[in-house]
Amino acid sequence: MSRAEFDDRADATHGEVTSEDVFETAYDEAMSFARHASAKSEGRTHLVFGVILLAGAAIGFACAIRFNVGQFSMHLMTTLPMLLAIGLIWKGRLASSNPLRVDIDSAGITLVTATDSVRHLWSDVGMATVTDVLYTKNRRLALFDPQAKKLAVIGDAITDFQLLTELVQHYVAQTQPDTSEQLRLKKARRMALLTGAAGLFLGFAGVSLFWKAQNDERGRNLLVERGVVGEGKILRHFTAPNGVTRRVEYEVTGDNGQTATHNVEVETLEWELLEHAPTVPIKYVPAEPEFAQLLAGEVRDSTDLGTREGWLMLILGGAMSLFMLGVSAMQWTGWDYGTDPNTGQLGWRRIGT
């Protein structure tokens, strides 16, 4: 029986009984939900394409190292296919492992597979949550025992999945309302701790990048104002692991006896000229030898940030940190910000519903 059949029943009463009234009485009936016929083949297809994307990401990573591509190109070649692969593999695994049929009655739920069937009484189910599948638009229903141990996972490759979730959550809420709420709050607070930690990390990252940008700018100014020409002792003359980037590592000694080590990328021609040289011409700040640069041939590090970029990182990191800390506070009370499975709209909703 499906929601449409409930609506037909309601229509047959000429409005004397609404579809919601019929739905409430249907809780006492045994119902079956079958897996979509195409779910298994679709699951295998997703798994195959996921593995192909994983291989593509690995090849992209190797190419990015070998040919020294830019950050944006590297993410297109590695990060993007990796995220897509994770989503496809997760989705394929869930679809392939879905039970063939789910039977529900007032006593419990039965999961029927190709080899056996597993029955769980409602008294054995402490909580039922609905969550989004990572990096996809799919959802899954998870059942937990009263000790929060996972009993089963049912993907949305089931007919009338929304009705199934409503029935399961209704029975669980009726049978063990206190246990379900306690487990839901426990799960919400675990999520809150993770979200809060991520928010603090983003805030720390924003502050750190801002400080680095300010320090880099200060170093550039000091080299202009107080920099002197000198020699740096070459410690290593080598090629980076990507087989392309030429680098030199040198040591600078300041007036106060302090030393600083610099590892920089060098243009190919200059690098070849330094192959057997013991020192390299540099410009440095005697009082602060951590600020230095080659007189010729040094390639600016792509991670060096200007003042504008530093402020941008601080603002973005701070905004994201405050948002995630706010979400963490709401999660601590059992609420989360996300897409409502019924309306598809963003907003606050109870975790697991």
Side-chain angles (χ1 to χ4, degrees):
M1 189 184 303
S2 66
R3 172 72 78 155
E5 291 174 301
F6 298 157
D7 293 338
D8 290 340
R9 281 194 191 182
D11 292 340
T13 64
H14 303 292
E16 296 178 5
V17 180
T18 67
S19 60
E20 291 303 319
D21 293 330
V22 177
F23 182 67
E24 288 297 327
T25 61
Y27 281 127
D28 297 327
E29 301 182 19
M31 300 186 66
S32 292
F33 301 84
R35 185 175 71 180
H36 295 310
S38 60
K40 189 172 183 178
S41 60
E42 289 178 356
R44 288 176 176 173
T45 301
H46 290 140
L47 286 173
V48 169
F49 278 101
V51 171
I52 291 173
L53 282 172
L54 275 180
I59 294 172
F61 181 72
C63 291
I65 293 178
R66 178 69 178 82
F67 299 106
N68 193 29
V69 301
Q71 289 289 323
F72 181 73
S73 298
M74 184 183 71
H75 287 308
L76 285 180
M77 297 165 64
T78 58
T79 308
L80 180 59
M82 179 65 73
L83 293 177
L84 292 174
I86 292 173
L88 285 174
I89 291 174
W90 193 295
K91 183 176 180 179
R93 183 176 177 275
L94 186 60
S96 300
S97 61
N98 244 18
L100 297 175
R101 194 179 75 249
V102 179
D103 298 330
I104 292 181
D105 55 44
S106 58
I109 180 172
T110 303
L111 309 178
V112 181
T113 66
T115 56
D116 62 359
S117 63
V118 179
R119 174 105 172 145
H120 299 291
L121 299 177
W122 296 124
S123 58
D124 298 327
V125 181
M127 179 176 65
T129 63
V130 182
T131 56
D132 296 327
V133 179
L134 188 67
Y135 301 131
T136 72
K137 294 182 179 180
N138 297 84
R139 292 178 295 152
R140 62 175 187 164
L141 171 66
L143 305 180
F144 300 85
D145 70 9
Q147 287 71 46
K149 181 181 178 181
K150 189 175 292 184
L151 296 173
V153 176
I154 305 169
D156 59 4
I158 293 282
T159 55
D160 291 322
F161 179 75
Q162 180 61 33
L163 175 59
L164 169 65
T165 61
E166 291 178 11
L167 287 170
V168 170
Q169 291 183 328
H170 170 83
Y171 280 124
V172 173
Q174 276 196 337
T175 307
Q176 302 200 61
D178 295 336
T179 301
S180 179
E181 187 59 29
Q182 290 171 4
L183 292 179
R184 195 184 306 280
L185 186 59
K186 184 178 179 180
K187 178 182 178 182
R189 289 185 171 176
R190 284 201 301 265
M191 292 176 63
L193 291 175
L194 291 174
T195 305
L200 291 174
F201 172 78
L202 288 172
F204 175 78
V207 172
S208 298
L209 289 172
F210 174 75
W211 179 87
K212 183 180 183 303
Q214 296 295 101
N215 195 55
D216 289 343
E217 184 66 22
R218 175 174 172 269
R220 285 190 287 268
N221 292 333
L222 284 176
L223 281 171
V224 172
E225 297 169 2
R226 304 179 188 176
V228 299
V229 176
E231 296 287 329
K233 180 182 177 182
I234 294 180
L235 302 177
R236 282 198 302 161
H237 178 276
F238 65 104
T239 300
N242 62 13
V244 175
T245 306
R246 310 303 186 186
R247 304 192 70 86
V248 168
E249 183 177 3
Y250 63 93
E251 182 181 73
V252 182
T253 301
D255 289 345
N256 54 7
Q258 293 182 346
T259 61
T261 301
H262 298 265
N263 188 328
V264 297
E265 182 180 352
V266 184
E267 294 176 359
T268 302
L269 180 59
E270 187 68 23
W271 183 82
E272 292 174 349
L273 293 173
L274 295 172
E275 185 172 2
H276 301 292
T279 61
V280 58
I282 62 171
K283 187 177 184 180
Y284 71 106
V285 180
E288 299 182 65
E290 64 269 22
F291 299 123
Q293 64 182 26
L294 301 186
L295 283 183
E298 181 173 336
V299 178
R300 182 177 176 179
D301 192 338
S302 60
T303 62
D304 285 349
L305 301 175
T307 303
R308 182 181 300 176
E309 291 87 349
W311 278 106
L312 180 61
M313 292 298 102
L314 180 64
I315 293 171
L316 287 177
M320 294 178 67
S321 176
L322 290 175
F323 173 76
M324 296 193 74
L325 289 174
V327 171
S328 175
M330 291 299 298
Q331 288 175 335
W332 189 261
T333 62
W335 292 84
D336 193 13
Y337 188 80
T339 303
D340 188 294
N342 298 317
T343 64
Q345 295 180 345
L346 284 172
W348 292 101
R349 63 188 179 95
R350 289 290 300 278
I351 290 177
T353 60

